[in-house]
Short mmCIF file of all heavy atoms in Angstrom, two decimals:
data_model
loop_
_atom_site.label_atom_id
_atom_site.label_comp_id
_atom_site.label_asym_id
_atom_site.label_seq_id
_atom_site.Cartn_x
_atom_site.Cartn_y
_atom_site.Cartn_z
N LYS O 29 -3.62 9.12 6.74
CA LYS O 29 -2.52 9.99 7.34
C LYS O 29 -1.19 9.41 6.86
O LYS O 29 -0.25 10.12 6.53
CB LYS O 29 -2.63 10.02 8.79
CG LYS O 29 -1.61 10.98 9.59
CD LYS O 29 -1.87 10.96 11.03
CE LYS O 29 -0.84 11.83 11.66
NZ LYS O 29 -1.09 11.80 13.19
N GLN O 30 -0.99 8.13 6.95
CA GLN O 30 0.20 7.37 6.58
C GLN O 30 0.42 7.62 5.06
O GLN O 30 1.61 7.77 4.69
CB GLN O 30 0.17 5.91 6.89
CG GLN O 30 0.22 5.56 8.40
CD GLN O 30 1.55 5.97 9.00
OE1 GLN O 30 2.54 6.44 8.34
NE2 GLN O 30 1.65 5.72 10.23
N ARG O 31 -0.60 7.46 4.26
CA ARG O 31 -0.43 7.70 2.85
C ARG O 31 0.07 9.04 2.55
O ARG O 31 1.03 9.20 1.73
CB ARG O 31 -1.87 7.61 2.17
CG ARG O 31 -1.71 7.92 0.65
CD ARG O 31 -3.14 7.98 -0.06
NE ARG O 31 -3.91 6.78 0.14
CZ ARG O 31 -5.09 6.81 0.38
NH1 ARG O 31 -5.91 7.92 0.29
NH2 ARG O 31 -5.82 5.68 0.49
N LYS O 32 -0.50 10.09 3.07
CA LYS O 32 0.11 11.48 2.89
C LYS O 32 1.45 11.62 3.18
O LYS O 32 2.31 12.16 2.55
CB LYS O 32 -0.85 12.53 3.68
CG LYS O 32 -0.54 13.90 3.43
CD LYS O 32 -1.42 14.82 4.27
CE LYS O 32 -0.97 16.28 3.97
NZ LYS O 32 -1.72 17.17 4.60
N ARG O 33 1.85 10.95 4.41
CA ARG O 33 3.20 11.04 4.92
C ARG O 33 4.20 10.39 3.99
O ARG O 33 5.27 10.81 3.57
CB ARG O 33 3.34 10.57 6.35
CG ARG O 33 4.65 10.68 6.99
CD ARG O 33 4.60 10.08 8.39
NE ARG O 33 4.62 8.67 8.48
CZ ARG O 33 5.60 7.91 8.35
NH1 ARG O 33 6.82 8.38 8.17
NH2 ARG O 33 5.60 6.56 8.39
N LEU O 34 3.79 9.14 3.57
CA LEU O 34 4.65 8.31 2.67
C LEU O 34 4.71 8.90 1.29
O LEU O 34 5.85 8.73 0.60
CB LEU O 34 4.17 6.86 2.69
CG LEU O 34 4.27 6.15 4.06
CD1 LEU O 34 3.55 4.81 4.00
CD2 LEU O 34 5.78 5.96 4.32
N LEU O 35 3.69 9.48 0.74
CA LEU O 35 3.74 10.14 -0.50
C LEU O 35 4.77 11.24 -0.52
O LEU O 35 5.50 11.43 -1.42
CB LEU O 35 2.38 10.65 -1.04
CG LEU O 35 1.43 9.59 -1.52
CD1 LEU O 35 0.03 10.20 -1.64
CD2 LEU O 35 1.94 8.91 -2.80
N GLY O 36 4.81 11.99 0.55
CA GLY O 36 5.80 13.09 0.74
C GLY O 36 7.16 12.57 0.77
O GLY O 36 8.12 13.05 -0.01
N ILE O 37 7.42 11.55 1.52
CA ILE O 37 8.68 10.88 1.61
C ILE O 37 9.20 10.29 0.24
O ILE O 37 10.26 10.51 -0.22
CB ILE O 37 8.78 9.78 2.66
CG1 ILE O 37 8.60 10.36 4.05
CG2 ILE O 37 9.94 8.86 2.53
CD1 ILE O 37 8.39 9.29 5.14
N LEU O 38 8.28 9.60 -0.48
CA LEU O 38 8.54 8.95 -1.82
C LEU O 38 9.01 10.16 -2.84
O LEU O 38 10.00 9.98 -3.45
CB LEU O 38 7.40 8.30 -2.38
CG LEU O 38 7.48 7.79 -3.69
CD1 LEU O 38 8.71 6.69 -3.79
CD2 LEU O 38 6.24 7.04 -4.19
N GLU O 39 8.21 11.30 -2.82
CA GLU O 39 8.53 12.27 -3.76
C GLU O 39 9.92 12.81 -3.47
O GLU O 39 10.77 13.16 -4.30
CB GLU O 39 7.52 13.37 -3.77
CG GLU O 39 7.71 14.43 -4.90
CD GLU O 39 6.50 15.05 -5.26
OE1 GLU O 39 5.39 14.70 -5.01
OE2 GLU O 39 6.60 16.08 -5.97
N ASP O 40 10.19 13.03 -2.12
CA ASP O 40 11.47 13.65 -1.73
C ASP O 40 12.60 12.70 -2.10
O ASP O 40 13.68 13.11 -2.61
CB ASP O 40 11.43 13.85 -0.17
CG ASP O 40 12.71 14.53 0.30
OD1 ASP O 40 12.98 15.54 -0.23
OD2 ASP O 40 13.34 14.02 1.31
N GLU O 41 12.49 11.43 -1.83
CA GLU O 41 13.52 10.48 -2.14
C GLU O 41 13.73 10.25 -3.63
O GLU O 41 14.94 10.24 -4.12
CB GLU O 41 13.22 9.09 -1.57
CG GLU O 41 13.22 9.02 -0.09
CD GLU O 41 14.61 9.35 0.47
OE1 GLU O 41 15.69 8.94 -0.05
OE2 GLU O 41 14.70 10.07 1.44
N LEU O 42 12.67 10.40 -4.45
CA LEU O 42 12.79 10.35 -5.87
C LEU O 42 13.59 11.58 -6.46
O LEU O 42 14.34 11.39 -7.26
CB LEU O 42 11.46 10.10 -6.61
CG LEU O 42 10.77 8.78 -6.40
CD1 LEU O 42 9.33 8.87 -6.87
CD2 LEU O 42 11.59 7.66 -6.99
N THR O 43 13.34 12.67 -5.82
CA THR O 43 14.09 13.89 -6.25
C THR O 43 15.56 13.80 -5.96
O THR O 43 16.36 14.51 -6.63
CB THR O 43 13.43 15.19 -5.75
OG1 THR O 43 13.54 15.15 -4.30
CG2 THR O 43 12.08 15.44 -6.21
N ARG O 44 15.92 13.13 -5.06
CA ARG O 44 17.29 12.97 -4.65
C ARG O 44 18.12 11.87 -5.39
O ARG O 44 19.35 11.87 -5.41
CB ARG O 44 17.39 12.47 -3.10
CG ARG O 44 16.92 13.53 -2.19
CD ARG O 44 16.81 12.85 -0.74
NE ARG O 44 16.20 13.74 0.15
CZ ARG O 44 16.77 14.28 1.22
NH1 ARG O 44 18.03 13.97 1.49
NH2 ARG O 44 16.12 15.07 1.99
N LEU O 45 17.40 11.06 -6.17
CA LEU O 45 18.03 10.03 -7.00
C LEU O 45 18.87 10.81 -8.11
O LEU O 45 18.56 11.69 -8.69
CB LEU O 45 17.03 9.19 -7.58
CG LEU O 45 16.40 8.06 -6.71
CD1 LEU O 45 15.27 7.36 -7.42
CD2 LEU O 45 17.42 7.17 -6.13
N PRO O 46 20.04 10.11 -8.45
CA PRO O 46 20.83 10.69 -9.58
C PRO O 46 20.17 10.39 -10.76
O PRO O 46 19.24 9.54 -10.88
CB PRO O 46 22.13 9.96 -9.39
CG PRO O 46 21.72 8.65 -8.73
CD PRO O 46 20.68 9.02 -7.69
N ASP O 47 20.60 10.97 -11.87
CA ASP O 47 20.09 10.73 -13.29
C ASP O 47 20.18 9.22 -13.47
O ASP O 47 21.20 8.60 -13.18
CB ASP O 47 20.86 11.45 -14.36
CG ASP O 47 20.57 13.03 -14.29
OD1 ASP O 47 19.61 13.37 -13.70
OD2 ASP O 47 21.46 13.73 -14.82
N GLY O 48 19.11 8.69 -14.00
CA GLY O 48 19.01 7.25 -14.34
C GLY O 48 18.66 6.40 -13.03
O GLY O 48 18.50 5.14 -13.17
N GLY O 49 18.59 7.04 -11.84
CA GLY O 49 18.43 6.29 -10.60
C GLY O 49 16.94 5.78 -10.58
O GLY O 49 15.97 6.52 -11.08
N ARG O 50 16.65 4.65 -10.02
CA ARG O 50 15.33 4.13 -9.83
C ARG O 50 15.04 3.66 -8.47
O ARG O 50 16.02 3.36 -7.75
CB ARG O 50 15.19 2.82 -10.88
CG ARG O 50 15.52 3.09 -12.30
CD ARG O 50 14.51 3.87 -13.18
NE ARG O 50 13.20 3.48 -13.23
CZ ARG O 50 12.64 2.47 -13.99
NH1 ARG O 50 13.44 1.75 -14.76
NH2 ARG O 50 11.38 2.29 -13.99
N LEU O 51 13.81 3.47 -8.13
CA LEU O 51 13.42 3.02 -6.75
C LEU O 51 12.28 1.96 -6.89
O LEU O 51 11.45 2.12 -7.69
CB LEU O 51 12.89 4.29 -6.01
CG LEU O 51 12.60 4.07 -4.52
CD1 LEU O 51 13.09 5.21 -3.75
CD2 LEU O 51 11.08 3.92 -4.33
N VAL O 52 12.40 0.99 -5.98
CA VAL O 52 11.51 -0.05 -5.97
C VAL O 52 10.74 0.09 -4.57
O VAL O 52 11.42 0.11 -3.56
CB VAL O 52 12.12 -1.45 -6.11
CG1 VAL O 52 11.12 -2.57 -5.92
CG2 VAL O 52 12.78 -1.61 -7.45
N LEU O 53 9.39 0.02 -4.55
CA LEU O 53 8.60 0.06 -3.35
C LEU O 53 8.37 -1.42 -2.92
O LEU O 53 8.29 -2.38 -3.73
CB LEU O 53 7.28 0.74 -3.54
CG LEU O 53 7.33 2.21 -3.97
CD1 LEU O 53 5.86 2.72 -4.33
CD2 LEU O 53 7.95 3.00 -2.99
N GLY O 54 8.31 -1.66 -1.67
CA GLY O 54 8.15 -2.93 -1.21
C GLY O 54 7.61 -3.10 0.25
O GLY O 54 7.66 -2.03 0.97
N GLY O 55 7.12 -4.24 0.70
CA GLY O 55 6.66 -4.43 1.93
C GLY O 55 6.14 -5.77 2.24
O GLY O 55 5.92 -6.55 1.33
N LEU O 56 5.80 -5.99 3.48
CA LEU O 56 5.25 -7.23 3.97
C LEU O 56 4.02 -6.90 4.68
O LEU O 56 4.11 -6.00 5.59
CB LEU O 56 6.23 -8.05 4.88
CG LEU O 56 5.68 -9.15 5.69
CD1 LEU O 56 5.35 -10.36 4.88
CD2 LEU O 56 6.73 -9.66 6.75
N SER O 57 2.81 -7.62 4.46
CA SER O 57 1.59 -7.44 5.19
C SER O 57 1.13 -6.08 5.12
O SER O 57 0.87 -5.48 4.03
CB SER O 57 1.83 -7.94 6.64
OG SER O 57 0.53 -8.10 7.26
N GLN O 58 1.06 -5.32 6.23
CA GLN O 58 0.58 -3.91 6.12
C GLN O 58 1.38 -3.04 5.38
O GLN O 58 1.00 -2.04 4.64
CB GLN O 58 0.29 -3.32 7.55
CG GLN O 58 -0.95 -3.65 8.16
CD GLN O 58 -1.21 -2.94 9.47
OE1 GLN O 58 -0.43 -2.01 9.86
NE2 GLN O 58 -2.30 -3.13 10.11
N GLY O 59 2.75 -3.29 5.50
CA GLY O 59 3.63 -2.49 4.74
C GLY O 59 3.55 -2.66 3.26
O GLY O 59 3.78 -1.75 2.49
N ALA O 60 3.16 -3.90 2.87
CA ALA O 60 2.98 -4.08 1.46
C ALA O 60 1.65 -3.42 0.97
O ALA O 60 1.55 -2.87 -0.11
CB ALA O 60 2.84 -5.61 1.19
N SER O 61 0.63 -3.44 1.80
CA SER O 61 -0.65 -2.79 1.62
C SER O 61 -0.27 -1.32 1.35
O SER O 61 -0.82 -0.62 0.43
CB SER O 61 -1.66 -2.77 2.72
OG SER O 61 -2.14 -4.09 2.78
N MET O 62 0.55 -0.73 2.20
CA MET O 62 0.93 0.72 2.10
C MET O 62 1.70 0.91 0.79
O MET O 62 1.59 1.94 0.13
CB MET O 62 1.70 1.22 3.29
CG MET O 62 0.81 1.29 4.51
SD MET O 62 -0.68 2.26 4.39
CE MET O 62 -0.18 3.87 3.81
N ALA O 63 2.63 0.08 0.51
CA ALA O 63 3.40 0.15 -0.77
C ALA O 63 2.43 0.25 -2.00
O ALA O 63 2.71 1.06 -2.89
CB ALA O 63 4.42 -0.95 -0.91
N LEU O 64 1.48 -0.68 -2.00
CA LEU O 64 0.57 -0.66 -3.17
C LEU O 64 -0.41 0.66 -3.22
O LEU O 64 -0.65 1.21 -4.27
CB LEU O 64 -0.31 -1.93 -3.12
CG LEU O 64 0.39 -3.17 -3.37
CD1 LEU O 64 -0.56 -4.41 -3.17
CD2 LEU O 64 0.99 -3.29 -4.83
N ASP O 65 -0.74 0.98 -1.94
CA ASP O 65 -1.55 2.24 -1.85
C ASP O 65 -0.74 3.44 -2.33
O ASP O 65 -1.29 4.20 -3.13
CB ASP O 65 -1.92 2.53 -0.40
CG ASP O 65 -2.77 3.60 -0.09
OD1 ASP O 65 -2.26 4.78 0.02
OD2 ASP O 65 -4.05 3.53 -0.15
N ILE O 66 0.54 3.52 -2.07
CA ILE O 66 1.40 4.58 -2.47
C ILE O 66 1.53 4.57 -3.94
O ILE O 66 1.51 5.62 -4.67
CB ILE O 66 2.70 4.69 -1.73
CG1 ILE O 66 2.57 4.72 -0.21
CG2 ILE O 66 3.69 5.68 -2.27
CD1 ILE O 66 1.70 5.85 0.25
N LEU O 67 1.82 3.53 -4.43
CA LEU O 67 2.05 3.30 -5.90
C LEU O 67 0.81 3.72 -6.67
O LEU O 67 0.89 4.48 -7.71
CB LEU O 67 2.30 1.86 -6.28
CG LEU O 67 2.78 1.34 -7.60
CD1 LEU O 67 4.09 2.17 -8.00
CD2 LEU O 67 2.83 -0.10 -7.76
N LEU O 68 -0.38 3.30 -6.18
CA LEU O 68 -1.60 3.69 -6.87
C LEU O 68 -1.96 5.26 -6.74
O LEU O 68 -2.66 5.74 -7.62
CB LEU O 68 -2.79 2.85 -6.40
CG LEU O 68 -2.82 1.40 -6.83
CD1 LEU O 68 -3.64 0.53 -6.03
CD2 LEU O 68 -3.24 1.28 -8.28
N HIS O 69 -1.55 5.77 -5.63
CA HIS O 69 -1.88 7.10 -5.37
C HIS O 69 -0.95 8.22 -5.76
O HIS O 69 -1.07 9.51 -5.59
CB HIS O 69 -2.41 7.38 -3.87
CG HIS O 69 -3.69 6.77 -3.69
ND1 HIS O 69 -3.82 5.54 -3.11
CD2 HIS O 69 -4.91 7.26 -3.77
CE1 HIS O 69 -5.14 5.22 -3.00
NE2 HIS O 69 -5.80 6.29 -3.47
N PHE O 70 0.22 7.73 -6.16
CA PHE O 70 1.45 8.67 -6.36
C PHE O 70 1.12 9.44 -7.71
O PHE O 70 0.95 8.85 -8.84
CB PHE O 70 2.73 7.94 -6.49
CG PHE O 70 3.92 8.78 -6.68
CD1 PHE O 70 4.06 9.79 -5.86
CD2 PHE O 70 4.80 8.54 -7.71
CE1 PHE O 70 5.36 10.57 -5.98
CE2 PHE O 70 5.83 9.40 -7.83
CZ PHE O 70 6.18 10.37 -6.96
N ALA O 71 1.03 10.71 -7.60
CA ALA O 71 0.62 11.61 -8.78
C ALA O 71 1.43 12.87 -8.76
O ALA O 71 0.96 13.90 -8.48
CB ALA O 71 -0.86 11.89 -8.82
#
Side-chain angles (χ1 to χ4, degrees):
K29 184 177 179 181
Q30 291 290 3
R31 176 190 303 145
K32 183 177 179 180
R33 185 176 74 82
L34 292 171
L35 285 170
I37 291 170
L38 176 60
E39 190 155 348
D40 185 52
E41 291 300 317
L42 291 172
T43 59
R44 294 170 188 246
L45 285 175
D47 290 341
R50 308 284 306 277
L51 185 134
V52 176
L53 300 174
L56 167 70
S57 195
Q58 279 191 0
S61 286
M62 290 307 303
L64 293 174
D65 184 275
I66 298 313
L67 187 64
L68 286 163
H69 288 91
F70 185 53

